[in-house]
């Protein structure tokens, strides 16, 4: 769909840096940094905030490392136009994104995951993959696959339980070799108990705090972007999690990307971004912005439980209201169906 080559936007209202611009700043002499920043076609206030940032080169250098773990998700639809979202590597072959980027089982199979290192495009093609959804809504609420739910999709070997080496598909082996060959940054390494933003003294998110979102653009400009020093507009509680609204707009392709912050010298994964939310801002009456779910340990506990269970299940069988009642009763006696049902009840994990 798109190459990984740099194709700059010439809009001076943008509040992000392209990867090539980050590299320009890192490669210039220290006394030339402000001159380089002055030439960038970005919003004046954003330019000023970057120029005044402390430890700028150290920060941008670290963000480039993180960028190696962010992927562009290209979804093709047989009966409609394709679209683009973002995701990030969460260790052991899993990619995490917002559920609305991959709306259902068919779109998981129609998704291409592309990572970009400085000199390589690392693509994982359309395959029949395993995936799970974590419902963020409390138990008893109607599932919402299109808003603030999280999806994790498996790359490489899908599972090993009950399988011999000869049972593995050729594409699984090829993808596993890709994962081992290239060092995709693992964002699960930025999850730390001490800094989990649940409102404790150690880390309490406030309006005005700077965050960084690393994401890809939409259809017109699908290239990696670093929304460095993005300002928080507001923080509010939506049981059982906290949510952050950004103070400026983000492209639709940003949905599913990671949001990080430097806290007391440590980089932490703050959460995952959901695009397309509306709210009033100082600069305009209504703005399309990004909204970020703040992690807490409960969410991570559910995700881990889902990953471990799915990787140990050799088969899945459908259990829903359309299956005749006698067959449903029989299905519940089968171990794999019971595992899936228990997973949904205890951890709000739905298997795709």
């Amino acid at each position: 769909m798109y190459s990984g080559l740099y194709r700059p936007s010439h809009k001076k209202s943008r509040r992000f840096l392209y990867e090539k611009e980050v590299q320009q700043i890192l490669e210039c002499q220290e006394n030339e940094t402000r001159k380089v920043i002055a030439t960038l076609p970005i919003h004046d206030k954003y330019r000023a905030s970057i120029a005044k940032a402390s430890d700028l080169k150290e920060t941008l250098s670290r963000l480039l490392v993180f960028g190696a773990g962010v992927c562009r998700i290209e979804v093709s639809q047989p009966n409609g136009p394709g679209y683009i979202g973002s995701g990030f590597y969460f260790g052991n072959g899993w990619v995490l994104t917002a559920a609305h980027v991959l709306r259902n089982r068919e779109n998981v199979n129609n998704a291409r995951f592309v990572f970009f290192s400085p000199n390589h495009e690392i693509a994982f093609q359309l395959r029949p993959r395993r995936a799970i959804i974590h419902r963020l809504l409390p138990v008893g609420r109607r599932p919402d696959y299109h808003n603030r739910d999280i999806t994790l999709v498996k790359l490489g070997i899908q599972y090993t339980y009950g399988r011999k080496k000869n049972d593995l598909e050729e594409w699984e082996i090829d993808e596993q070799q890709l994962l081992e060959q290239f060092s995709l940054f693992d964002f699960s390494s930025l999850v730390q108990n001490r800094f989990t933003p649940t409102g404790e003294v150690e880390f309490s998110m406030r309006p005005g705090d700077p965050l960084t979102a690393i994401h890809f653009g939409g259809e017109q400009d699908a290239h990696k972007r670093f929304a460095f020093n993005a300002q928080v507009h507001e923080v509010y509680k939506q049981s059982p999690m906290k949510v952050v609204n950004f103070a400026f707009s983000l492209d639709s392709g940003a949905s599913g990307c990671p949001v990080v912050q430097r806290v007391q010298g440590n980089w932490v994964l703050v959460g995952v971004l959901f695009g397309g939310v509306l709210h009033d801002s100082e600069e305009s009456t209504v703005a399309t912005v990004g909204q970020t779910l703040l992690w807490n340990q409960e969410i991570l506990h559910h995700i881990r439980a889902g990953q471990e269970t799915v990787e140990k299940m050799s088969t899945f069988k459908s259990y829903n209201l359309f299956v005749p009642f006698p067959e449903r009763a029989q299905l519940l006696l089968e171990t794999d169906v019971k595992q899936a049902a228990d997973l949904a009840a205890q951890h709000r994990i739905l298997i795709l």
Side-chain angles (χ1 to χ4, degrees):
M1 296 176 69
Y2 294 94
S3 70
L5 298 177
Y6 170 65
R7 184 178 62 189
S9 165
H10 294 289
K11 294 181 179 179
K12 292 192 176 183
S13 61
R14 63 179 170 93
R15 298 177 187 244
F16 63 83
L17 299 175
Y18 286 105
E19 189 165 27
K20 187 173 182 179
E21 293 170 336
V22 172
Q23 291 170 336
Q24 277 182 271
I25 295 173
L26 291 175
E27 291 169 3
C28 73
Q29 298 295 321
E30 198 66 42
N31 59 355
E32 296 290 321
T33 302
R34 286 183 176 270
K35 289 183 181 179
V36 171
I37 294 173
T39 64
L40 301 178
I42 55 179
H43 193 284
D44 289 339
K45 288 184 179 179
Y46 187 56
R47 179 184 294 107
S49 71
I50 292 175
K52 292 187 293 185
S54 60
D55 301 323
L56 177 62
K57 289 197 173 185
E58 179 186 343
T59 298
L60 293 181
S61 177
R62 195 67 185 140
L63 292 179
L64 274 185
V65 174
F66 299 160
V70 179
C71 68
R72 190 172 70 207
I73 301 177
E74 303 169 353
V75 181
S76 59
Q77 300 185 107
N79 300 320
Y83 58 89
I84 285 175
S86 298
F88 54 100
Y89 190 63
F90 210 63
N92 198 27
W94 290 95
V95 169
L96 192 152
T97 186
H100 68 265
V101 175
L102 299 167
R103 298 186 181 98
N104 51 44
R105 171 74 263 176
E106 290 72 29
N107 279 3
V108 170
N109 291 345
N110 290 333
R112 183 172 181 259
F113 303 84
V114 190
F115 295 85
F116 295 96
S117 68
N119 301 310
H120 297 91
E121 176 180 309
I122 309 153
F124 297 84
Q125 306 297 341
L126 282 60
R127 303 295 183 189
R129 302 186 184 281
R130 291 200 161 188
I132 60 175
I133 281 181
H134 171 51
R135 283 186 54 201
L136 296 173
L137 293 175
V139 175
R141 293 279 298 278
R142 185 176 178 180
D144 187 346
Y145 299 99
H146 301 284
N147 293 317
R148 298 190 189 93
D149 288 350
I150 293 171
T151 295
L152 291 102
V153 184
K154 193 72 163 68
L155 307 178
I157 295 175
Q158 299 296 287
Y159 68 98
T160 56
Y161 182 78
R163 300 176 85 186
K164 297 179 180 178
K165 190 172 182 180
N166 292 339
D167 297 330
L168 301 179
E169 299 287 344
E170 187 175 342
W171 68 266
E172 291 180 87
I173 297 172
D174 290 343
E175 286 195 352
Q176 194 64 35
Q177 290 174 346
L178 272 181
L179 290 172
E180 293 169 2
Q181 180 182 354
F182 294 97
S183 298
L184 303 178
F185 181 79
D186 179 0
F187 277 87
S188 68
S189 67
L190 297 187
V191 177
Q192 301 180 37
N193 292 342
R194 181 182 173 194
F195 296 110
T196 301
T198 52
E200 292 90 344
V201 176
E202 294 94 336
F203 185 9
S204 182
M205 190 68 65
R206 301 175 302 275
D209 282 353
L211 302 174
T212 295
I214 307 172
H215 65 92
F216 286 87
E219 289 290 334
Q220 300 302 314
D221 185 6
H223 300 280
K224 194 183 297 181
R225 305 173 177 191
F226 295 80
F228 167 60
N229 261 8
Q231 294 297 307
V232 172
H233 172 69
E234 63 179 342
V235 183
Y236 63 93
K237 180 82 172 178
Q238 178 164 336
S239 182
M241 64 271 187
K242 281 192 172 183
V243 176
V244 163
N245 274 337
F246 282 107
F248 61 88
S249 63
L250 289 162
D251 194 281
S252 60
S255 283
C257 81
V259 178
V260 297
Q261 184 183 32
R262 194 174 184 179
V263 181
Q264 300 175 13
N266 294 275
W267 283 96
V268 297
L269 176 63
V270 174
V272 59
L273 186 134
F274 298 82
V277 184
L278 300 178
H279 77 85
D280 293 336
S281 72
E282 294 180 0
E283 297 187 1
S284 61
T285 305
V286 179
T288 302
V289 301
Q291 190 177 70
T292 298
L293 161 78
L294 298 185
W295 292 117
N296 59 42
Q297 288 303 311
E298 180 187 1
I299 292 172
L300 294 172
H301 171 65
H302 293 323
I303 288 174
R304 296 298 189 205
Q307 290 174 320
E308 291 172 7
T309 304
V310 170
E311 288 179 347
K312 292 178 181 177
M313 295 176 70
S314 58
T315 59
F316 299 132
K317 291 192 178 180
S318 176
Y319 178 85
N320 57 55
L321 296 178
F322 297 105
V323 178
F325 182 79
E327 293 180 30
R328 270 188 280 153
Q330 184 62 35
L331 276 174
L332 282 177
L333 299 177
E334 298 191 24
T335 303
D336 58 336
V337 176
K338 186 176 186 305
Q339 277 184 289
D342 289 345
L343 197 64
Q346 296 177 22
H347 297 284
R348 305 202 295 277
I349 292 291
L350 308 179
I351 301 172
L352 292 183

